[in-house]
Each structure stands twice: as C-alpha cells, then as structure tokens.
Amino acid sequence: MNRVVVTGLGFISSIGNNRAAVLESLRESRCGIEVMPELVAANDRVKLAGTVKGFSFSSADPLDWTFPAKVQFSRAELRTMVPNAVYAVAAMEEAISDAKLDPALVSAPQTGLYCASAGSAWLTHVAIESVLTRGPARTSAPTVVTGMPNSLHLNLTARFAIKGASVGFSSACASSSHALGSACDLIRLGRQKIMFVVGAEDCHPYNILPFASLRALSSQSDPALAPRPFDVSRDGFVITGGGAVLVLEDAEHAAARGATVYAEVKGWGQASDGYDVVAPDPTGSGLARAMTNALQDASLEPSAVNYINAHATATTAGDLAELSALKSVFTGDAKPKVSSTKALTGHGLSLAGALEAGICCLALREGFMPASAKIQQLDPACEGISILTERCDEAPSVVMSNSSGFGGANVALILGKV
C-alpha cells in the first residue's frame, strides 16, 4: 500500500486563527474558553464556550457577517454559506498555502475532500421557519441549502472546484477522525493522490444548548475551571467551533513535488461500543479495540507510542471509560504520556478529530507534547497513566489521537515523525 503523509495544516480555532497562533497557544497552555454573552442571555446554566475570535455572525443575513480581511467571498458565494463553512474556507486556504498546492492541483481529479460537520442548527431553524411561515414558494433556494446538514460539503466542493472523491461524514464527535482514516485509505489504495480532511462546526447557542439539556456541559463561569479533563472536580465539557484542515498526500507524490512533511499517517482503527445511545461503555472496551486495531494497522507495539492526545472531554463517564481503555492497551513497558487539549480549545464535536490530529502534527514537527491544562487535583483513577499537567519538551516520534462519539463510535489515529 502507498504511504500517506500530512503536507499542509490550516486552523481557525478558539486558540488561534492560523498554525503559528495555535502552536504558540499550545506551548504556553493559553486557553480559548470565555464567557459567551449569547449563551448567558439564552439560559441560566451554561455560560462558557470556546469562542472563535475575529468572526461575527450577528444575523441570518450573511451580508451582516464580519470576518478577517484575508477571508474573501463573492456575494453569490455568501448566499449559500453557513458559519462553519466560513471557518472551513479560511482554514482550507491556509492549508492549501501551507502545502504549496496550485489551483490546478487542488482541482485535479486525483484530489478529493472528506469533511465532517453537524450542520448549522441555527440556519436549519431559519430555513424551516421560512418554509412554515412564508411558504415553500417564498423560501429561496439558498436558504434551503444553508439549512441542509451537508451544507459544509456543498460549499467546500463548489468553492474549491473539487473534482475527486468527496463525502460528508456524520458520526458525532468521531466524525472528522472517521474522515481522516477513510481519506488515508483512499490514498493507500492509490485511488487519490491528495485528500483534504476538514472538520468544522458553528459556535452558536443552537449548536450548544441541546448538550446542556443532556447535562453534559460544564456550569462553571470561570474559564480557569472548565473544562478540566482528568480532574476529580470536572463537571462537563465546553463546546467550541471553528475549522481545521489537514492535507493528506501520497508520500511519493509529495516527495516528487518537494513538499514539506509534518507527519506520516501510520495507521488508524475504529470500533463501536454497542452499548448505549449516549453513554460510553464504562469498560472502555470499544475504544480499546479501536486503539488495538490502529496499532495493528500501523504494525506497531503499544510501547512505540510516546504521546496520546486523549478524547477526554471532562465528563466523568467519558474520562473514566477512556482511562480504562488506556490501561487495558498500554501495559508493561508501554507508558505513553497523555493529555487532553480540549482543556484549552473546548470540545469541537465533529471538528474535534481533525483539530486534534492537526495538533498532533504540530507536536511531532515541533518536538513537544502539550499539557492537559487546569488540573488542580488529578482523579485517582488516573493512577498508572502519565497525565501531562505541564508541557513536555521531549520530542515524540509516534503519537495517537483518540476520538469517541455518541452511539459508541470510536476512532484512534496514529501519526509518526518522518
């Protein structure tokens, strides 16, 4: 099979709107969580979000939106845009520039795009309300498009004239990890030379508040106290939005054009809990199988893994299940260092896998392991697991990124230094 490497990264996130800013935030454990006034106005329990700075979506009319000057849209493009697509376009343009891809290569038949998003709940509501109150005949086609769950996929493939394989993934918080693994397989099999992997989500109360109804979100008002994965006093996750893009490329193709390489995608694995619609299997057996499958796919022993970017969202059930999975897979002399960068970024839902895989690429390229921030008292359940409470400046050579979603979907990605 063909080898797969990462040749470009792009970020729009709560901790920075480009690769350099994200790297600095990770090094300094700089948090992107803050009180979100729109949330405070909408409910009396959830106040924090991983806000995306420099972007404003003040109304459903895209002509009212503001974003950094480098992000440009024609009036026609804006008519079908959703906020998460705006984030994704900005991140993708950075990734294209970072990978030094010319327009002809971006739009080549051997270049595809796999993306992941839950859609814009806000603009879906606007579209349905228009159909019900104004009637179908008076609801514009662009309004209908913005209300579709796959609006991210529709906008990206059109904006970048994608000619290769393209699919939108929806497996909850494992979505963009599924997209990355599946894109890797396409390149391995020789069916594509380049794949864009995109995760993007809105940061809007309509995307956030349903999780408050599930009692999954932190009720803290101090960003220094939430989210706190692995802390004994954690009380739930904090949602973020943004976009993250990785350029995956056939290794020989990348070498032939002199591309800079961040990391090699060594392997990936997936498995399901088969347990509950929302709650994880307390034993963590599904995630353990995903990690084992990834190691087998990469032809690596557990002891080869130096660092794990955990899914850990700061829910008690989720953190404990993942700790159980880690303990069952990494035994004996296998002692990787572990952290959850969600403490800094917030939980990106469908975005999370791509964002954290990008973070792992930075860790490999720059030679460090980011901290699991905000821990005041480590949960005793972490005994035997090397949780990083401070940044580690040892350079990892093999890293793993875990993602788990509602319905018991689990994905483990393995990336290695080239």
Side-chain angles (χ1 to χ4, degrees):
M1 291 193 297
N2 299 330
R3 291 172 54 223
V4 181
V5 294
V6 179
T7 57
L9 297 174
F11 297 96
I12 298 293
S13 76
S14 65
I15 61 169
N17 288 342
N18 55 59
R19 176 173 49 85
V22 169
L23 176 60
E24 183 179 357
S25 292
L26 292 170
R27 284 193 180 281
E28 301 301 323
S29 290
R30 187 175 302 143
C31 175
I33 311 298
E34 64 181 1
V35 173
M36 185 178 183
E38 297 90 338
L39 272 179
V40 175
N43 82 112
D44 60 358
R45 184 176 184 276
V46 177
K47 304 171 183 66
L48 298 178
T51 56
V52 184
K53 290 73 174 174
F55 293 77
S56 174
F57 304 96
S58 57
S59 80
D61 184 349
L63 296 180
D64 292 335
W65 298 351
T66 59
F67 29 78
K70 67 177 182 179
V71 186
Q72 297 290 324
F73 297 98
S74 69
R75 192 180 183 94
E77 287 174 323
L78 275 174
R79 293 178 70 211
T80 61
M81 276 286 159
V82 286
N84 57 319
V86 172
Y87 297 142
V89 166
M92 192 155 163
E93 287 181 343
E94 182 188 16
I96 289 169
S97 175
D98 190 35
K100 297 179 174 59
L101 298 174
D102 62 41
L105 200 48
V106 170
S107 190
Q110 288 296 301
T111 300
L113 181 148
Y114 278 1
C115 66
S117 169
S120 174
W122 171 38
L123 292 183
T124 297
H125 173 78
V126 169
I128 293 172
E129 185 176 47
S130 177
V131 170
L132 293 177
T133 59
R134 294 166 55 84
R138 297 185 63 195
T139 300
S140 69
T143 297
V144 173
V145 170
T146 61
M148 291 180 174
N150 63 330
S151 53
L152 174 67
H153 173 252
L154 302 178
N155 278 289
L156 290 181
T157 53
R159 165 86 179 204
F160 295 98
I162 298 298
K163 299 295 197 303
S166 66
V167 175
F169 284 71
S170 181
S171 53
C173 303
S175 297
S176 56
S177 288
H178 271 127
L180 196 153
S182 299
C184 173
D185 284 349
L186 273 187
I187 297 174
R188 282 170 155 183
L189 293 170
R191 295 180 178 177
Q192 300 280 257
K193 294 296 185 185
I194 297 173
M195 289 294 296
F196 295 105
V197 177
V198 185
E201 293 284 23
D202 282 12
C203 189
H204 189 279
Y206 281 23
N207 284 62
I208 296 171
L209 289 175
F211 292 93
S213 297
L214 294 171
R215 299 293 189 267
L217 301 186
S218 172
S219 60
Q220 296 284 354
S221 57
D222 183 354
L225 298 178
R228 278 187 286 174
F230 302 127
D231 191 281
V232 70
S233 297
R234 60 186 173 266
D235 74 331
F237 58 88
V238 173
I239 288 179
T240 189
V245 179
L246 295 90
V247 180
L248 270 55
E249 189 167 353
D250 175 272
E252 289 188 3
H253 187 271
R257 68 181 190 87
T260 299
V261 173
Y262 283 91
E264 180 177 357
V265 183
K266 294 285 191 180
W268 76 291
Q270 59 176 319
S272 300
D273 285 353
Y275 178 79
D276 189 81
V277 173
V278 175
D281 182 341
T283 69
S285 62
L287 180 56
R289 288 193 301 276
M291 289 189 286
T292 299
N293 291 340
L295 289 164
Q296 290 175 349
D297 187 44
S299 298
L300 293 172
E301 295 296 323
S303 57
V305 179
N306 311 122
Y307 168 70
I308 297 174
N309 191 299
H311 179 69
T313 64
T315 65
T316 298
D319 284 10
L320 293 181
E322 187 164 13
L323 287 168
S324 179
L326 291 170
K327 290 176 182 180
S328 70
V329 174
F330 295 93
T331 59
D333 61 351
K335 296 293 182 185
K337 293 178 171 61
V338 178
S339 71
S340 173
T341 48
K342 289 183 179 71
L344 302 177
T345 64
H347 185 7
L349 308 176
S350 296
L351 156 68
L355 176 60
E356 288 155 19
I359 286 171
C360 285
C361 288
L362 291 177
L364 285 165
R365 178 76 179 278
E366 301 296 330
F368 76 106
M369 293 174 257
S372 207
K374 304 178 185 176
I375 294 175
Q376 296 182 347
Q377 183 180 349
L378 199 62
D379 191 321
C382 296
E383 184 178 358
I385 302 294
S386 181
I387 305 294
L388 288 174
T389 57
E390 296 182 352
R391 185 189 76 213
C392 176
D393 288 327
E394 295 176 18
S397 57
V398 177
V399 305
M400 177 181 282
S401 180
N402 288 339
S403 296
S404 298
F406 282 177
N410 302 286
V411 178
L413 307 168
I414 298 180
L415 300 155
K417 191 173 183 63
V418 176

